Structures are given as C-alpha cells and as structure tokens.
Amino acid sequence: TDFDSKKKRKVAEIYQALNSDPIDVPALRRMAISEGGLLTDEIRCKVWPKLLSVNTDDLPPLPAGKELREDNKDYQQVLLDVRRSLRRFPPGMPDDQREGLQEELIDIILHVLKRNPQLHYYQGYHDIVVTFLLVVGARLATALVEKLSTHHLRDFMDPTMENTKHILNYLMPIIDQVNPEVHDFMQSAEVGTIFALSWLITWFGHVLSDFRHVVRLYDFFLACHPLMPIYFAAVIVLYREQEVLDCECDMASVHHLLSQIPQDLPYETLISRAGDLFVQFPPSELAREAAQQQVERTAASTFKDFELASVQQRPDTVLRQRFRERLRGEERTKSVLTKPRTNRFVKLAVMGLTVALGAAALAMVKSALEWAPKFELQIFP
C-alpha cells in the first residue's frame, strides 16, 4: 500500500542519515518531527541518543541498587511514585517482569539524582523516565535521562516551582495570539494554567493512555526546542475550542473539562500545528515582556507580582498585565509588539498548513541546535 511504501522510504532515509559521516542530525530531527515520527522502538534506540548528543559507545555502568538506596533523601518518595505507576506498563505484562522494571526505574532515578545534586526530584519525573526505560532499556535510559534532566527538564528540577510556573506563563499568550475569544473566556473563568501542569512536567506521559502516542510525542519533543511541550498544550486547548466555549464560564467547570484530556486527539495534525505556532510566535517574542521586565527590576519590586501570582494561582494574568502596561507605553511608536495582533486573521490559513516537513521543521531544527545556553539567559535572567 501507499502507506507502507512511504514508511519504507522513511526508514531508508533515517538509516541513511544515521550512516552518513558525520551523522546527519538535522535530517534525524526532521524525521522525528515529520509525520509518524521515528516509527519503531528499534529506530528510537539509535536516534534518540543522537538527538540528545549522547555517546552510546561510552555508557556508564548500571548503578548498583543497594548503596544508592541507603541514606537517599528521595528514596521513599520515588518508591511511592513508582509503586503507583502500574498503568504506565503495557497491559498484560507479567507481574515479575513489571516488578523488575520498577526496580530498575527506581535505580535510574536515584542514580541521576545522586550524580547531579543540583537537581531536585519532582512527582511526575518517573513518568518521563519510565518511557525511556520501556523504549531503550535501563543502561541507555540512564544516560539519556541524565542528559535530558540537565537540559530540557532542567527548570522542573529546581528547588522551587518558580521556573515551571514561568514556562506555564507561555500558555495563555500563545492561545491569545491564535484565538482571543478562547483566551478571554478562560480569563473570565479564572481557570489559570494549573490544568496543564501534569502535561508539561511529564511530557504528556502521565495523561495519555496509549503508549504509542506518548513515544510519538517524545520523538517530537526530543527533536525540538525545550518549550515545545507548552506549544503542544496550547494546541490541545485550541483544538477543543468549541467544548471550551460551550462550557459554564466558571473555574471549576473549565478546569474539569481541560484537565480531562481526550484520548483520540489527531496527534499528527496537532504536532504540525504546534510546529507552525512555534515558528509564528517564537518563545523569544512571547518572552520579551516577561524577561525584559525581570532584568530591569529588582527582586523587591517584582515580589508583589509573584505574591499576586501565587495567591491567584494565575501567573498568566500578571504576565498579561505587564504586557498591556508595556504596550500602552509603546503604542506611540507603533512598536513591533502590536504586529502579531494583525496576524490573527491568518489563523485559519496558518492552521490549515501542515509545514511539519517544511519551514517549521527547519526553523525548529535551527532553534533546537542553538537553544543552549543562550536560551536560559534569554528567558530566565
């Protein structure tokens, strides 16, 4: 069939990129983003390390369990979380096999934390680690998760939730750029962004029941900028526009609706849309107002904002308020910041384009390759 021949062609292209010298990482990123992602776990074992620049010839030996667990401050919490993670294993897996994997899962987490004392465990981290364990096995998973934890997941592993909240702050501005009606409805309902917290910090691993969808998203996120999961979260909300607008406009109803994620999402379409939005409204554009103000002001004067944000559980309101204040100041000069407003009318045209293989993929490849360490400076001054 047509699908099979397309698949065969893609597999051939992936192996060609893997076998070229040097390895063609931009091509691998494009394959991971484009329709169907990396197709099989066998291919993921080869490509995921390349996307994370992990050298598979020189993997550290597997951590030894007993000494890791003694005197480890996180051990009890990790144990509890891993015991509760039954539904993350394939249905029908024999108990003893699953229990063996759960022991490995505990060891991988404790090993990464022990080697990187600057990282702090958070509930939901095990949902990410188990995905790697099931796809690539314990030894490679340990190396990949360590790299990921010091890069893409770094902000979730701070001692406080401040940076995680900051990333959640992007959700409403993205929605606002594409669909101001949905944005304003959510603002009126005062729903905040906490409904998307578990999506973000587990890369959707915790909320999607079909493992194939989870690994397809991991292909995409590993190939992209670390903020891509928040764009994907925004795209899910936008996709559910009608349900949101039909909902009672109060916090409990909208929060309940949004936190129940539909399992039959059109993943390929949404991945492509998230890529489009990333290119159209890059993080630097959305972050400007937040980052610049933080650079310019002292900790004492921003404290009120944070206090307000944490009381309301709605950091996005604060972000928006600041943005409006700046706009008022800059309207005289017809600042570039007002430009995206006119872009709203191309929403349908843009949403209809599936440029996952075209400009979007290339722009993401570029930004993904360039994001560190400039990225942290740019957004988290």
Side-chain angles (χ1 to χ4, degrees):
T1 64
D2 184 40
F3 176 70
D4 286 340
S5 62
K6 238 162 96 175
K7 208 169 154 177
K8 277 197 185 115
R9 199 161 58 241
K10 186 168 192 181
V11 171
E13 283 173 25
I14 292 171
Y15 278 102
Q16 191 186 343
L18 280 168
N19 295 327
S20 66
D21 187 17
I23 289 168
D24 190 348
V25 177
L28 294 176
R29 287 183 192 280
R30 286 198 299 277
M31 301 293 151
I33 293 166
S34 68
E35 193 179 345
L38 294 172
L39 303 170
T40 71
D41 285 355
E42 190 190 342
I43 291 175
R44 290 183 176 102
C45 288
K46 297 182 166 75
V47 176
W48 282 4
K50 304 296 179 262
L51 297 179
L52 285 170
S53 317
V54 167
N55 179 3
T56 48
D57 301 330
D58 188 26
L59 292 176
L62 270 180
K66 200 166 170 313
E67 58 206 59
L68 269 178
R69 297 175 188 213
E70 283 163 8
D71 309 323
N72 190 306
K73 66 176 170 45
D74 295 302
Y75 174 57
Q76 287 306 324
Q77 185 60 56
V78 173
L79 183 66
L80 281 174
D81 289 347
V82 169
R83 285 214 176 120
R84 282 197 296 252
S85 66
L86 294 186
R87 59 178 209 83
R88 290 303 318 277
F89 293 89
M93 179 182 270
D95 286 354
D96 52 347
Q97 190 187 351
R98 190 202 68 241
E99 284 158 16
L101 284 167
Q102 285 178 306
E103 292 304 308
E104 288 183 328
L105 181 55
I106 293 170
D107 286 345
I108 294 171
I109 294 171
L110 296 179
H111 175 75
V112 172
L113 292 171
K114 187 175 180 175
R115 278 173 47 98
N116 300 276
Q118 78 280 15
L119 301 177
H120 296 259
Y121 178 74
Y122 64 87
Q123 280 182 288
Y125 182 66
H126 70 288
D127 281 300
I128 287 188
V129 182
V130 73
T131 307
F132 283 90
L133 174 61
L134 291 171
V135 174
V136 305
R139 195 163 172 202
L140 183 50
T142 306
L144 296 184
V145 165
E146 180 164 8
K147 186 65 179 273
L148 198 70
S149 304
T150 52
H151 288 79
H152 289 62
L153 307 178
R154 180 70 191 84
D155 294 303
F156 309 145
M157 305 192 77
D158 275 350
T160 71
M161 288 278 287
E162 221 45 81
N163 277 345
T164 305
K165 272 201 292 195
H166 188 81
I167 295 171
L168 279 169
N169 280 347
Y170 283 79
L171 184 68
M172 297 303 278
I174 298 167
I175 291 170
D176 191 25
Q177 294 290 1
V178 179
N179 191 328
E181 191 187 356
V182 168
H183 170 273
D184 294 347
F185 180 89
M186 289 172 70
Q187 291 289 67
S188 306
E190 305 198 341
V191 67
T193 53
I194 294 302
F195 67 86
L197 180 65
S198 67
W199 306 355
L200 182 67
I201 63 176
T202 67
W203 277 13
F204 298 84
H206 186 71
V207 290
L208 299 179
S209 51
D210 188 329
F211 192 69
R212 288 170 312 176
H213 297 152
V214 177
V215 293
R216 171 66 189 103
L217 282 181
Y218 277 44
D219 292 343
F220 177 48
F221 295 152
L222 286 169
C224 291
H225 190 291
L227 282 180
M228 190 52 84
I230 201 74
Y231 282 80
F232 194 77
V235 163
I236 290 179
V237 175
L238 292 163
Y239 172 73
R240 302 181 72 191
E241 169 187 8
Q242 213 40 62
E243 283 175 88
V244 173
L245 296 175
D246 290 345
C247 193
E248 288 293 315
C249 187
D250 65 72
M251 183 180 151
S253 309
V254 182
H255 180 85
H256 179 73
L257 171 78
L258 288 174
S259 49
Q260 308 291 314
I261 204 166
Q263 295 297 320
D264 58 346
L265 294 166
Y267 290 93
E268 294 301 334
T269 308
L270 296 184
I271 283 170
S272 174
R273 283 182 184 177
D276 290 349
L277 290 186
F278 184 91
V279 174
Q280 236 198 325
F281 311 110
S284 54
E285 209 169 283
L286 300 171
R288 213 169 342 184
E289 62 276 13
Q292 239 166 320
Q293 297 244 341
Q294 275 171 331
V295 173
E296 287 160 11
R297 293 148 115 202
T298 62
S301 64
T302 54
F303 180 68
K304 260 199 182 50
D305 276 1
F306 280 127
E307 204 175 28
L308 183 68
S310 52
V311 168
Q312 296 179 320
Q313 281 287 304
R314 288 171 56 215
D316 42 88
T317 338
V318 179
L319 190 78
R320 203 168 160 67
Q321 218 174 320
R322 292 182 183 177
F323 184 40
R324 288 215 168 108
E325 283 162 18
R326 279 195 57 206
L327 268 186
R328 275 199 288 275
E330 292 176 3
E331 244 154 23
R332 294 183 306 282
T333 55
K334 283 277 177 253
S335 124
V336 275
L337 281 179
T338 55
K339 243 197 219 139
R341 306 277 149 195
T342 56
N343 284 355
R344 284 196 173 140
F345 304 104
V346 298
K347 167 198 161 188
L348 288 169
V350 172
M351 282 305 209
L353 290 173
T354 44
V355 294
L357 266 177
L362 292 170
M364 282 189 280
V365 166
K366 241 179 113 204
S367 63
L369 293 173
E370 289 167 356
W371 76 276
K374 185 171 62 186
F375 167 72
E376 285 178 327
L377 290 173
Q378 179 193 350
I379 294 180
F380 305 124

